[in-house]
Amino acid sequence: MGNSALKAHLETAQKTGVFQLTGKGLAEFPEDLQKLTSNLRTIDLSNNKIELLPPLIGKFSFLKSLVLNNNKLTALPEELCKLKKLETLHLNGNHLRQLPAAFGQLSALKTLSLSGNQLRTVPTQLCGLRHLDVVDLSKNQIQNVPDTVGELQAIELNLNQNQISQISVQISHCPRLKVLRLEENCLELSMLPQSILSDSQISLLAVEGNLFEIKKLRELEGYDKYMERFTATKKKFA
């Protein structure tokens, strides 16, 4: 991609606050974006070949949305955690194995998508995020859901297409969790905490494609209570 094309993109971004450059085969984060640290609200560099996010990402203090789907990121810099206004972070289809230790400092974060990475557990850092609405951790290599999940503030948690065989009973204590997606995992029915049905806020539980028949779920204690929540929610959105 030529310099003139990049320059045109930068000029547009200066006016609009949006820098979008997708599918151009970029191997690195454009350093010229540094000139726009106070302008940019949105950066979308999806479908490129970026392997590293430079520390300078921490300087975009007004950034609200960062989209880096389908790149080659294997790690994220700690500096990313300085983005106090960041509300949306999409990192689907990369090679991430973990999140930075300070990830819980992204205090404005509402939507986090990490589908199609190489995470092996639900990152504990997510539990510090008070405004989190949607977390997508589908298509990773997660095998169990730890006790810390009980502090997660998300409304929707997508864990479809992992290798989950164990879930902490603490998940039923999530204060705002309404939608829990666990399709295509390795769950036996005995490993699904009954408190999800009988004693949680969850009103949509998606568990198709595990090691039990769905109709067996209906025989569990608490299923009636779950159905009450499910039906009440459906009416609300109808």
Side-chain angles (χ1 to χ4, degrees), residues 202-205 225-235:
I202 294 165
S203 56
L204 177 64
L205 176 65
K225 278 191 170 176
Y226 163 68
M227 279 316 290
E228 279 172 24
R229 294 193 304 273
F230 178 80
T231 313
T233 307
K234 267 190 116 161
K235 279 191 187 130

Side-chain angles (χ1 to χ4, degrees), residues 16-172:
T16 61
V18 178
F19 184 84
Q20 187 175 33
L21 199 58
T22 59
K24 297 289 185 212
L26 291 182
E28 49 192 50
F29 187 88
E31 290 226 328
D32 286 346
L33 284 184
Q34 283 191 77
K35 300 167 188 164
L36 301 177
T37 47
S38 56
N39 298 67
L40 289 184
R41 303 293 184 267
T42 300
I43 296 176
D44 183 354
L45 294 167
S46 296
N47 303 312
N48 282 295
K49 296 176 179 169
I50 298 168
E51 292 181 22
L52 279 176
L53 202 51
L56 70 89
I57 191 68
K59 294 181 181 167
F60 292 88
S61 44
F62 297 98
L63 201 63
K64 284 192 165 185
S65 174
L66 178 59
V67 185
L68 290 159
N69 295 332
N70 304 318
N71 276 282
K72 299 193 169 188
L73 298 169
T74 52
L76 299 170
E78 288 286 342
E79 285 80 2
L80 176 70
C81 308
K82 292 179 180 168
L83 302 179
K84 293 284 185 267
K85 300 210 163 161
L86 195 68
E87 293 177 7
T88 306
L89 180 57
H90 289 289
L91 296 160
N92 302 325
N94 281 283
H95 309 294
L96 299 168
R97 290 169 186 267
Q98 58 191 40
L99 298 179
F103 198 82
Q105 291 174 12
L106 291 172
S107 50
L109 202 61
K110 289 180 182 173
T111 305
L112 174 63
S113 288
L114 287 159
S115 181
N117 279 281
Q118 293 167 20
L119 299 172
R120 290 178 180 268
T121 183
V122 177
T124 52
Q125 296 96 313
L126 302 186
C127 297
L129 299 168
R130 294 278 165 247
H131 299 287
L132 210 50
D133 289 334
V134 180
V135 182
D136 186 352
L137 300 174
S138 61
K139 299 181 185 170
N140 276 279
Q141 294 160 18
I142 298 169
Q143 293 173 4
N144 69 342
V145 180
D147 287 347
T148 46
V149 76
E151 293 167 38
L152 190 69
Q153 299 285 326
I155 296 168
E156 177 170 344
L157 177 59
N158 185 344
L159 293 165
N160 289 347
Q161 292 178 283
N162 277 285
Q163 297 153 22
I164 296 167
S165 59
Q166 280 186 308
I167 299 181
S168 167
V169 68
Q170 296 296 327
I171 197 158
S172 50

